[in-house]
């Protein structure tokens, strides 16, 4: 395989994948990205022009997609509307990009007979109880909770139908929560790091007992490459690095890692329908394809991520006030009393709740 079309390559995980591919392979890459609020061409600055080309465009544009797919050997599909909170406020772009965009790509790879890899999420499986011993596997029934995760589930099912009905050579991967450089500041970890840099208290939804299974973006990239190389068309692979942590522990680790008291955060309004726990059993990927994570030490990865946001304020500064304004207009408020030890000024529609420390 020589030439890849990567959709959503200017987003968080896509950009990390492009850098990984450039550093670890000889592949040629074309990125197709609409540059929504979540896409940043600067995340791809300085890549070699003999191996890399950027095309600004929409995956729902069938003519453009057809011409790009015709010129490559395989498509890796990252482009999506990706943030649960946004999907609660305005679901329509999630249906358009995640469902219709995936359909447009599937039709093009079907027509041109190209290999397709679909990037998906563990959220399609719904939530686990905190004490559930069985983690998500390739056989867990789909049970998505949010508009975001239901559109990702729908896109996975489209891929499966195009495999079965039309013989498209496609694989799917469902990965757990990623962290690392280039992640938009609307997301949990960068939001808290950049709040602390700005002297604002981090914000924990509800009680903070919700568990996410963290994986470094580079480990996601190495797994996707492995599936492209050795994955069996028609199959699904779960990607995870045994990184379960509750949100409270993560926020405390960020605070301590940035030289602040561990309790210098606020509990805020919980996310409606907030999934309690995700946890991935990635045995299949490890045993059948011989993959293993290289960055499974969360403390090391988090320290590197904090350092990246400290060193790259130019990259994130322009996103910050708009992201916080969205939270504010969605009604996020500091909770006092029962659910936690909130302190500092109440948000009451304001962006800033209080100072760290
Ligand atoms: P992101 O929001 O950071 O990036 C999405 C990218 O897609 C942006 O560059 C955006 O401009 C682009 N895009 C959006 N709509 C488009 C359209 N119609 N046409 C072309 N480009 C468009 O998202 P992310 O966190 O990097 O997630 C990438 C993929 O990985 C998504 O499919 C997501 O569901 C999946 N995923 C994410 C995580 C995670 O922890 N972030 C975990 C598992 C799976
Ligand atoms: O300020 C916050 N405070 C907080 O407690 C934010 C933004 C989030 N949270 C909580 C909600 C979640 O339990 O932190 C956890 C992580 O939140 P997000 O970063 O929004 O991620 P999540 O909803 O878990 O979804 C992510 O992982 C799966 C990605 O955004 C999805 O694209 C991916 O599919």
């Amino acid at each position: 395989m020589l030439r890849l079309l990567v959709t959503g390559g200017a987003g968080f995980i896509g950009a990390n994948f492009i850098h990984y591919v450039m550093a670890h392979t000889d592949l040629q890459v074309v990125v197709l990205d609409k540059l929504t609020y979540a896409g940043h061409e600067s995340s791809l600055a300085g890549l070699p022009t003999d191996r890399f080309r950027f095309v600004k465009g929409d995956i729902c544009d069938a003519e453009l997609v057809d011409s790009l797919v015709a010129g490559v050997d395989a498509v890796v599909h990252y482009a999506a509307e990706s943030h649960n909170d946004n999907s609660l406020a305005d679901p329509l772009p999630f249906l358009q990009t995640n469902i219709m965009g995936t359909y447009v790509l599937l039709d093009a790879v079907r027509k041109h007979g190209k290999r397709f890899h679909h990037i998906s999420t563990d959220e399609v499986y719904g939530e686990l109880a905190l004490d559930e011993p069985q983690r998500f596997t390739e056989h867990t029934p789909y049970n998505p909770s949010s508009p975001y995760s239901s559109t990702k589930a729908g896109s996975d099912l489209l891929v499966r139908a195009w495999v079965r009905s039309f013989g498209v050579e496609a694989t799917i991967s469902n990965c757990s929560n990623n962290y690392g450089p280039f992640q938009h500041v609307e997301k949990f970890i960068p939001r808290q790091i950049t709040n602390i840099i700005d002297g604002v208290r981090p914000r924990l939804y509800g009680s903070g007992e919700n568990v996410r299974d963290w994986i470094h973006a580079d480990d996601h990239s190495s797994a996707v490459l492995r599936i492209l190389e050795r994955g069996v068309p028609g199959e699904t692979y779960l990607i995870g690095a045994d990184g379960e942590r509750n949100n409270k522990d993560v926020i405390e680790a960020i605070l301590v890692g940035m030289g602040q008291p561990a309790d210098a955060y606020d509990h805020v309004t919980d996310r409606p329908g907030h999934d309690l726990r995700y946890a991935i059993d990635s045995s299949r990927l490890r045993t059948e394809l011989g993959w293993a994570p290289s960055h499974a030490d969360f403390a090391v990865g988090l320290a590197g991520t904090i350092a990246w946001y400290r060193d790259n304020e130019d990259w994130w500064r322009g996103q910050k006030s708009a992201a916080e304004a969205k939270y504010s207009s969605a009604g996020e408020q500091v909770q006092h009393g029962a659910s936690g030890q909130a302190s500092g000024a109440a948000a009451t529609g304001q962006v800033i709740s209080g100072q760290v420390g």
Side-chain angles (χ1 to χ4, degrees):
M1 187 197 308
L2 300 172
R3 295 158 301 169
L4 291 184
L5 175 65
V6 179
T7 70
F12 161 47
I13 307 178
N16 278 285
F17 179 73
I18 300 296
H19 287 289
Y20 194 91
V21 165
M22 288 293 147
H24 294 92
T25 77
D26 296 325
L27 294 170
Q28 298 203 332
V29 177
V30 179
V31 163
L32 172 60
D33 197 296
K34 187 179 174 181
L35 297 180
T36 68
Y37 80 97
H40 303 278
E41 207 176 341
S42 64
S43 302
L44 302 170
L47 295 175
T49 49
D50 57 334
R51 290 180 57 202
F52 171 76
R53 183 160 73 95
F54 182 81
V55 176
K56 181 178 174 185
D58 193 329
I59 57 168
C60 298
D61 179 342
E63 205 176 313
L64 174 64
V65 165
D66 185 83
S67 69
L68 292 173
V69 168
V72 297
D73 302 294
V75 177
V76 186
H77 175 34
Y78 287 92
E81 287 292 337
S82 69
H83 193 37
N84 276 300
D85 293 317
N86 290 343
S87 81
L88 296 166
D90 183 14
L92 183 57
F94 289 75
L95 278 91
Q96 284 163 337
T97 288
N98 301 0
I99 303 276
M100 283 307 294
T102 301
Y103 159 69
V104 168
L105 285 158
L106 284 168
D107 239 25
V109 293
R110 175 190 173 196
K111 176 177 163 193
H112 294 287
K114 301 295 168 73
R115 172 91 164 78
F116 187 71
H117 182 69
H118 180 62
I119 303 293
S120 192
T121 170
D122 58 1
E123 296 193 22
V124 299
Y125 300 114
E127 65 180 355
L128 295 166
L130 293 179
D131 59 358
E132 167 64 53
Q134 177 79 34
R135 298 181 291 172
F136 297 140
T137 73
E138 287 78 5
H139 305 293
T140 304
Y142 275 35
N143 188 25
S145 308
S146 74
Y148 162 68
S149 54
S150 61
T151 59
K152 291 298 293 187
S155 66
D156 293 8
L157 297 181
L158 289 178
V159 177
R160 290 183 182 189
W162 262 242
V163 168
R164 179 167 171 140
S165 300
F166 306 123
V168 166
E169 290 210 358
T171 40
I172 300 173
S173 54
N174 298 81
C175 188
S176 61
N177 282 62
N178 285 222
Y179 74 100
F182 300 116
Q183 188 169 27
H184 194 279
V185 297
E186 70 191 355
K187 302 295 195 316
F188 179 52
I189 288 180
R191 185 183 187 199
Q192 317 311 336
I193 294 171
T194 54
N195 271 1
I196 294 168
I197 291 171
D198 281 351
V200 174
R201 293 168 70 91
R203 307 198 127 202
L204 188 63
Y205 289 175
S207 69
E209 283 168 359
N210 308 66
V211 170
R212 296 296 182 262
D213 189 352
W214 294 98
I215 182 171
H216 193 278
D218 279 348
D219 282 334
H220 189 177
S221 296
S222 68
V224 169
L225 265 184
R226 182 60 57 93
I227 295 166
L228 278 171
E229 288 159 7
R230 299 190 203 164
V232 178
E235 296 298 328
T236 291
Y237 299 90
L238 266 55
I239 306 174
D242 300 332
E244 281 190 72
R245 266 173 190 75
N246 74 32
N247 294 339
K248 189 167 170 295
D249 289 346
V250 172
I251 232 168
E252 289 176 1
I254 295 170
L255 278 159
V256 171
M258 296 183 73
Q260 301 294 327
D263 64 352
Y265 61 88
D266 289 331
H267 291 264
V268 296
T269 323
D270 206 355
R271 172 184 284 169
H274 194 176
D275 282 337
L276 184 55
R277 174 176 165 233
Y278 307 135
I280 289 266
D281 177 347
S282 58
S283 306
R284 177 178 204 188
L285 182 63
R286 293 171 193 243
T287 55
E288 293 183 16
L289 304 190
W291 173 85
S294 306
H295 305 277
D297 186 333
F298 184 73
V300 172
L302 186 63
T305 305
I306 291 169
W308 191 87
Y309 282 91
R310 277 197 161 128
D311 293 344
N312 291 279
E313 186 168 338
D314 284 355
W315 182 87
W316 59 264
R317 176 55 66 194
Q319 313 163 13
K320 184 67 179 167
S321 58
E324 290 303 320
K326 273 192 203 169
Y327 285 118
S328 192
S329 69
E332 181 178 285
Q333 295 203 357
V334 174
Q335 306 293 293
H336 293 278
S339 71
Q341 67 270 54
S343 56
T348 55
Q350 298 301 305
V351 173
I352 295 174
S353 68
Q355 299 298 307
V356 171

